[in-house]
Amino acid sequence: MKINQPINKKALMVATVSFLLGTSILLLYLIFGSETFLVGGLFYALVALTLNTITLIGLFTNAIINYQHYKENLATILLFLTNIPIAIGYVFLVVNNPLQYNIL
């Protein structure tokens, strides 16, 4: 499916960048076990949550306004929401990391 609406293209770019940055921070934390990556990851998660929430509200608004493009809008929203279970899985990995240092 071709994405034509600019807001949908931007939202998919935001989702992709969020995924790649989050994955990079997680991998760096798991490889090096540094508290710096843990704190940076938590800060990044808060920033990403805020940006992604704003983007999702924009997507829902666009879906209501441009209802004639419902297939493209629905596909974009579903792809955008795939970051949620991925982020939950990443939190699970960090919390259950057997090499985790006693930080808390």
Side-chain angles (χ1 to χ4, degrees):
M1 165 181 269
K2 184 168 167 64
I3 304 296
N4 295 316
Q5 297 182 71
I7 189 170
N8 290 341
K9 289 179 182 181
K10 290 176 186 172
L12 292 176
M13 181 62 71
V14 167
T16 302
V17 170
S18 292
F19 170 75
L20 292 174
L21 283 174
T23 302
S24 298
I25 294 170
L26 174 69
L27 289 174
L28 288 169
Y29 169 70
L30 292 175
I31 291 168
F32 296 109
S34 172
E35 186 176 336
T36 304
F37 291 118
L38 180 63
V39 173
L42 290 173
F43 177 74
Y44 168 73
L46 291 174
V47 171
L49 177 66
T50 304
L51 178 63
N52 286 320
T53 301
I54 293 168
T55 305
L56 186 61
I57 291 169
L59 285 174
F60 280 126
T61 304
N62 180 58
I64 292 168
I65 293 170
N66 295 312
Y67 59 88
Q68 66 274 18
H69 302 287
Y70 71 92
K71 287 183 183 180
E72 177 183 334
N73 293 331
L74 182 60
T76 302
I77 290 170
L78 290 174
L79 285 170
F80 193 81
L81 290 175
T82 57
N83 274 343
I84 293 173
I86 292 169
I88 292 169
Y90 287 1
V91 169
F92 182 77
L93 281 172
V94 169
V95 170
N96 294 313
N97 183 6
L99 301 175
Q100 182 178 14
Y101 303 100
N102 191 5
I103 296 170
L104 301 176

